[in-house]
Amino acid sequence: MRATIEDMAHRLVEVPGVTGVMLGGSRARGEHRPESDWDLGVYYRGDIDLGALRALAGPEVEVAGPGGWGPWVNGGAWLRVDGVAVDWILRDLDRVEQVWADCRDGRYEVGVQAGHPLGFWSPCYVGEVALGQVLADPSGELDRLRRRAATYPEPLREALVAGAWEATFLVGIAAKGAARADTLYVSLCLSRAFGVLVQALFAANRRWCLNEKGALAVAEALPGAPEGFGRRARGLLGALGGTAESLAAAVAGARALVDETRAALPATYRRPG
Protein backbone atom coordinates (compact mmCIF):
# COMPACT_ATOMS: atom_id res chain seq x y z
CA MET A 1 0.00 0.00 0.00
CA ARG A 2 2.86 2.39 0.75
CA ALA A 3 4.19 1.93 -2.79
CA THR A 4 0.72 2.61 -4.17
CA ILE A 5 0.46 5.82 -2.13
CA GLU A 6 3.89 7.02 -3.25
CA ASP A 7 2.98 6.36 -6.89
CA MET A 8 -0.26 8.29 -6.42
CA ALA A 9 1.66 11.22 -4.92
CA HIS A 10 3.97 11.41 -7.93
CA ARG A 11 0.99 11.36 -10.27
CA LEU A 12 -0.69 14.10 -8.26
CA VAL A 13 2.24 16.50 -8.65
CA GLU A 14 1.84 16.19 -12.41
CA VAL A 15 -1.56 17.91 -12.10
CA PRO A 16 -1.22 21.59 -13.10
CA GLY A 17 -1.25 23.77 -9.98
CA VAL A 18 -0.13 21.02 -7.57
CA THR A 19 3.24 21.82 -6.01
CA GLY A 20 3.70 18.88 -3.64
CA VAL A 21 2.13 16.04 -1.68
CA MET A 22 2.62 15.04 1.93
CA LEU A 23 1.50 12.05 3.96
CA GLY A 24 -0.26 13.27 7.09
CA GLY A 25 -2.36 11.97 9.94
CA SER A 26 -1.58 9.01 12.13
CA ARG A 27 0.33 7.17 9.40
CA ALA A 28 2.83 10.00 9.06
CA ARG A 29 3.36 10.04 12.83
CA GLY A 30 3.59 6.25 13.18
CA GLU A 31 0.49 6.17 15.40
CA HIS A 32 -1.81 4.40 12.96
CA ARG A 33 -3.83 1.25 13.31
CA PRO A 34 -4.28 -1.28 10.49
CA GLU A 35 -7.60 0.27 9.50
CA SER A 36 -6.38 3.90 9.58
CA ASP A 37 -6.93 6.12 6.56
CA TRP A 38 -4.11 7.35 4.36
CA ASP A 39 -4.27 11.17 4.43
CA LEU A 40 -2.57 12.97 1.58
CA GLY A 41 -2.12 16.72 1.78
CA VAL A 42 -2.26 18.01 -1.79
CA TYR A 43 -0.54 21.40 -1.81
CA TYR A 44 -1.26 23.78 -4.67
CA ARG A 45 -0.74 27.34 -5.79
CA GLY A 46 -3.13 29.48 -7.80
CA ASP A 47 -5.60 27.62 -9.98
CA ILE A 48 -5.58 23.85 -9.68
CA ASP A 49 -6.70 21.73 -12.64
CA LEU A 50 -9.78 20.07 -11.17
CA GLY A 51 -10.44 18.22 -14.40
CA ALA A 52 -7.07 16.51 -14.17
CA LEU A 53 -7.67 15.73 -10.49
CA ARG A 54 -11.03 14.19 -11.30
CA ALA A 55 -9.52 12.13 -14.10
CA LEU A 56 -6.91 10.80 -11.68
CA ALA A 57 -9.49 10.06 -8.98
CA GLY A 58 -11.82 8.20 -11.34
CA PRO A 59 -15.42 8.71 -12.44
CA GLU A 60 -17.00 7.41 -9.24
CA VAL A 61 -15.16 9.85 -6.95
CA GLU A 62 -16.43 13.35 -6.23
CA VAL A 63 -13.61 15.91 -6.07
CA ALA A 64 -14.37 19.13 -4.18
CA GLY A 65 -12.48 22.16 -5.42
CA PRO A 66 -11.03 24.93 -3.22
CA GLY A 67 -13.66 26.06 -0.73
CA GLY A 68 -15.90 23.09 -1.46
CA TRP A 69 -15.51 21.68 2.04
CA GLY A 70 -15.43 24.98 3.88
CA PRO A 71 -13.10 27.89 4.60
CA TRP A 72 -10.30 25.91 6.27
CA VAL A 73 -10.59 22.27 5.23
CA ASN A 74 -10.37 23.50 1.71
CA GLY A 75 -11.48 20.61 -0.49
CA GLY A 76 -10.35 17.25 -1.76
CA ALA A 77 -11.71 13.76 -2.27
CA TRP A 78 -12.41 10.49 -0.48
CA LEU A 79 -11.14 7.45 -2.35
CA ARG A 80 -11.07 3.71 -1.79
CA VAL A 81 -7.92 1.94 -2.97
CA ASP A 82 -7.98 -1.84 -2.63
CA GLY A 83 -10.63 -1.39 0.05
CA VAL A 84 -8.56 1.13 2.02
CA ALA A 85 -9.65 4.74 2.60
CA VAL A 86 -7.38 7.35 1.01
CA ASP A 87 -8.19 11.02 1.58
CA TRP A 88 -6.96 13.86 -0.59
CA ILE A 89 -6.96 17.13 1.34
CA LEU A 90 -6.30 20.31 -0.61
CA ARG A 91 -4.04 22.91 0.95
CA ASP A 92 -3.30 26.34 -0.57
CA LEU A 93 0.46 26.65 -0.07
CA ASP A 94 0.38 30.45 -0.19
CA ARG A 95 -2.13 30.43 2.67
CA VAL A 96 -0.10 27.87 4.62
CA GLU A 97 2.97 30.10 4.32
CA GLN A 98 0.95 33.12 5.47
CA VAL A 99 -0.20 31.17 8.52
CA TRP A 100 3.43 30.22 9.16
CA ALA A 101 4.36 33.92 9.10
CA ASP A 102 1.49 34.64 11.51
CA CYS A 103 2.65 31.88 13.86
CA ARG A 104 6.15 33.35 13.96
CA ASP A 105 4.59 36.67 14.97
CA GLY A 106 2.35 35.09 17.62
CA ARG A 107 -0.90 35.38 15.69
CA TYR A 108 -3.49 32.68 15.08
CA GLU A 109 -7.14 32.32 14.09
CA VAL A 110 -9.90 29.96 15.14
CA GLY A 111 -12.38 29.50 12.31
CA VAL A 112 -15.74 27.82 11.98
CA GLN A 113 -15.35 24.60 10.01
CA ALA A 114 -17.58 21.57 9.57
CA GLY A 115 -16.06 18.57 11.32
CA HIS A 116 -14.17 20.70 13.86
CA PRO A 117 -16.52 21.26 16.81
CA LEU A 118 -13.91 23.31 18.68
CA GLY A 119 -13.12 25.30 15.56
CA PHE A 120 -10.20 25.06 13.17
CA TRP A 121 -7.06 26.49 14.80
CA SER A 122 -4.91 27.97 12.06
CA PRO A 123 -1.54 26.68 13.40
CA CYS A 124 -2.78 23.24 12.32
CA TYR A 125 -1.69 24.14 8.78
CA VAL A 126 1.90 24.44 9.91
CA GLY A 127 1.70 21.47 12.24
CA GLU A 128 0.57 19.27 9.36
CA VAL A 129 3.75 20.16 7.48
CA ALA A 130 5.99 19.86 10.54
CA LEU A 131 4.66 16.39 11.42
CA GLY A 132 4.05 15.10 7.90
CA GLN A 133 6.18 13.10 5.49
CA VAL A 134 7.05 14.59 2.12
CA LEU A 135 6.11 12.18 -0.66
CA ALA A 136 6.50 14.36 -3.76
CA ASP A 137 8.04 17.82 -3.79
CA PRO A 138 9.66 18.75 -7.12
CA SER A 139 10.49 22.31 -6.08
CA GLY A 140 11.64 21.41 -2.56
CA GLU A 141 9.28 24.02 -1.03
CA LEU A 142 7.49 21.61 1.27
CA ASP A 143 10.71 20.15 2.61
CA ARG A 144 12.12 23.59 3.32
CA LEU A 145 8.96 24.61 5.15
CA ARG A 146 8.92 21.33 7.07
CA ARG A 147 12.47 21.89 8.30
CA ARG A 148 11.69 25.46 9.40
CA ALA A 149 8.48 24.40 11.16
CA ALA A 150 10.38 21.75 13.14
CA THR A 151 11.22 24.56 15.58
CA TYR A 152 8.07 25.70 17.39
CA PRO A 153 7.81 29.52 17.33
CA GLU A 154 8.10 31.07 20.78
CA PRO A 155 5.69 33.94 19.95
CA LEU A 156 3.01 31.36 19.07
CA ARG A 157 3.74 29.50 22.30
CA GLU A 158 3.28 32.73 24.23
CA ALA A 159 0.02 33.58 22.44
CA LEU A 160 -1.61 30.16 22.91
CA VAL A 161 -0.60 29.92 26.56
CA ALA A 162 -1.89 33.44 27.19
CA GLY A 163 -5.09 32.45 25.38
CA ALA A 164 -5.94 30.10 28.25
CA TRP A 165 -7.63 33.10 29.91
CA GLU A 166 -10.66 32.20 27.76
CA ALA A 167 -11.17 28.99 29.75
CA THR A 168 -11.66 31.05 32.91
CA PHE A 169 -14.13 33.29 31.12
CA LEU A 170 -16.03 30.27 29.78
CA VAL A 171 -16.54 28.62 33.16
CA GLY A 172 -17.74 31.98 34.48
CA ILE A 173 -20.48 32.29 31.89
CA ALA A 174 -21.25 28.56 32.18
CA ALA A 175 -22.36 29.26 35.75
CA LYS A 176 -25.11 31.50 34.40
CA GLY A 177 -26.28 28.68 32.15
CA ALA A 178 -26.23 26.26 35.07
CA ALA A 179 -28.58 28.52 37.01
CA ARG A 180 -31.05 28.17 34.12
CA ALA A 181 -30.51 24.40 33.86
CA ASP A 182 -29.32 25.01 30.28
CA THR A 183 -27.45 21.77 29.62
CA LEU A 184 -26.54 22.56 26.01
CA TYR A 185 -25.03 25.91 26.87
CA VAL A 186 -23.05 24.58 29.82
CA SER A 187 -21.74 21.59 27.86
CA LEU A 188 -20.57 23.85 25.03
CA CYS A 189 -18.84 26.21 27.44
CA LEU A 190 -17.03 23.45 29.31
CA SER A 191 -16.06 21.56 26.15
CA ARG A 192 -14.50 24.68 24.69
CA ALA A 193 -12.83 25.56 27.99
CA PHE A 194 -11.11 22.17 28.08
CA GLY A 195 -10.22 22.50 24.40
CA VAL A 196 -8.57 25.87 25.04
CA LEU A 197 -6.57 24.33 27.89
CA VAL A 198 -5.48 21.48 25.63
CA GLN A 199 -4.18 23.99 23.08
CA ALA A 200 -2.29 25.83 25.83
CA LEU A 201 -0.73 22.61 27.16
CA PHE A 202 0.41 21.56 23.69
CA ALA A 203 1.91 25.00 23.09
CA ALA A 204 3.60 25.11 26.50
CA ASN A 205 5.37 21.89 25.50
CA ARG A 206 6.10 23.20 21.99
CA ARG A 207 3.88 20.57 20.43
CA TRP A 208 1.72 21.11 17.35
CA CYS A 209 -1.96 20.32 18.00
CA LEU A 210 -3.62 19.30 14.73
CA ASN A 211 -7.26 18.83 15.78
CA GLU A 212 -9.55 17.76 18.59
CA LYS A 213 -9.39 14.01 17.90
CA GLY A 214 -7.29 12.32 20.55
CA ALA A 215 -5.90 15.66 21.76
CA LEU A 216 -7.15 15.31 25.34
CA ALA A 217 -5.45 11.92 25.73
CA VAL A 218 -2.14 13.41 24.56
CA ALA A 219 -2.49 16.59 26.63
CA GLU A 220 -3.11 14.74 29.90
CA ALA A 221 0.28 13.03 29.57
CA LEU A 222 2.22 16.22 28.84
CA PRO A 223 4.52 17.78 31.43
CA GLY A 224 2.66 20.52 33.27
CA ALA A 225 -0.77 18.94 33.01
CA PRO A 226 -2.42 18.73 36.46
CA GLU A 227 -2.76 15.30 38.03
CA GLY A 228 -5.80 13.58 36.54
CA PHE A 229 -6.39 16.34 33.96
CA GLY A 230 -7.92 14.10 31.33
CA ARG A 231 -9.81 11.90 33.76
CA ARG A 232 -11.32 14.92 35.47
CA ALA A 233 -12.30 16.64 32.22
CA ARG A 234 -13.96 13.48 30.92
CA GLY A 235 -15.75 12.94 34.24
CA LEU A 236 -17.10 16.48 34.34
CA LEU A 237 -18.43 16.32 30.78
CA GLY A 238 -19.95 12.91 31.48
CA ALA A 239 -21.63 14.10 34.67
CA LEU A 240 -23.63 16.91 33.09
CA GLY A 241 -27.27 16.42 33.97
CA GLY A 242 -30.46 18.27 33.39
CA THR A 243 -30.78 19.98 36.76
CA ALA A 244 -29.38 23.28 37.94
CA GLU A 245 -27.67 21.49 40.84
CA SER A 246 -25.85 18.92 38.70
CA LEU A 247 -24.74 21.57 36.22
CA ALA A 248 -23.53 23.87 38.98
CA ALA A 249 -21.45 21.03 40.44
CA ALA A 250 -19.87 20.37 37.05
CA VAL A 251 -19.08 24.05 36.58
CA ALA A 252 -17.46 24.19 40.04
CA GLY A 253 -15.31 21.19 39.19
CA ALA A 254 -14.39 22.72 35.85
CA ARG A 255 -13.42 26.01 37.50
CA ALA A 256 -11.05 24.17 39.83
CA LEU A 257 -9.47 22.27 36.94
CA VAL A 258 -9.09 25.45 34.87
CA ASP A 259 -7.45 27.26 37.78
CA GLU A 260 -5.01 24.40 38.41
CA THR A 261 -4.10 24.10 34.75
CA ARG A 262 -3.51 27.79 34.27
CA ALA A 263 -1.39 27.91 37.43
CA ALA A 264 0.79 25.14 35.98
CA LEU A 265 1.38 26.95 32.68
CA PRO A 266 4.57 29.00 32.16
CA ALA A 267 4.14 32.04 34.40
CA THR A 268 5.83 34.37 31.91
CA TYR A 269 3.00 33.87 29.45
CA ARG A 270 0.03 33.74 31.80
CA ARG A 271 -2.55 36.43 31.36
CA PRO A 272 -4.61 37.64 34.35
CA GLY A 273 -8.28 36.70 34.41
Side-chain angles (χ1 to χ4, degrees):
M1 190 64 191
R2 174 77 186 208
T4 299
I5 292 297
E6 291 178 352
D7 178 68
M8 178 182 288
H10 286 92
R11 285 184 287 146
L12 280 165
V13 293
E14 295 176 357
V15 172
V18 176
T19 60
V21 179
M22 295 193 75
L23 176 65
S26 61
R27 290 194 178 273
R29 301 190 300 272
E31 300 169 353
H32 59 281
R33 295 176 294 183
E35 69 277 11
S36 295
D37 297 352
W38 291 79
D39 296 325
L40 297 185
V42 180
Y43 292 80
Y44 69 94
R45 273 208 171 94
D47 295 327
I48 188 171
D49 189 335
L50 291 177
L53 270 184
R54 289 173 177 133
L56 184 57
E60 298 180 357
V61 177
E62 180 180 352
V63 177
W69 285 351
W72 287 96
V73 181
N74 203 12
W78 295 312
L79 297 81
R80 301 289 299 184
V81 178
D82 296 330
V84 178
V86 178
D87 298 339
W88 293 353
I89 304 169
L90 298 184
R91 287 287 185 258
D92 182 336
L93 188 53
D94 287 331
R95 191 178 185 188
V96 173
E97 291 184 336
Q98 180 57 58
V99 168
W100 170 233
D102 290 342
C103 289
R104 298 198 309 275
D105 288 338
R107 298 190 303 271
Y108 65 92
E109 297 179 55
V110 183
V112 175
Q113 173 63 54
H116 287 263
L118 286 172
F120 189 97
W121 295 63
S122 61
C124 169
Y125 274 177
V126 183
E128 288 174 336
V129 177
L131 301 177
Q133 296 179 18
V134 176
L135 296 180
D137 184 26
S139 68
E141 291 178 275
L142 283 178
D143 186 61
R144 288 191 292 273
L145 179 57
R146 184 185 62 81
R147 284 186 276 111
R148 294 198 302 272
T151 300
Y152 197 95
E154 287 302 304
L156 178 64
R157 181 178 186 245
E158 178 177 356
L160 286 169
V161 170
W165 73 269
E166 186 187 354
T168 298
F169 176 76
L170 286 162
V171 294
I173 60 176
K176 299 179 181 179
R180 299 190 302 270
D182 190 338
T183 303
L184 175 61
Y185 185 73
V186 173
S187 66
L188 290 172
C189 287
L190 298 193
S191 294
R192 181 165 179 82
F194 297 148
V196 167
L197 294 180
V198 164
Q199 289 283 345
L201 286 167
F202 268 77
N205 286 275
R206 300 178 178 88
R207 292 273 300 263
W208 294 103
C209 185
L210 300 189
N211 55 49
E212 308 94 331
K213 291 187 294 185
L216 179 60
V218 174
E220 67 181 321
L222 292 175
E227 181 69 26
F229 174 75
R231 171 182 52 77
R232 291 164 67 186
R234 288 187 291 270
L236 290 166
L237 292 175
L240 292 174
T243 67
E245 292 76 13
S246 64
L247 293 174
V251 170
R255 180 177 284 109
L257 183 55
V258 167
D259 289 346
E260 288 179 44
T261 306
R262 292 191 64 198
L265 292 169
T268 305
Y269 299 155
R270 287 205 299 269
R271 172 176 164 177

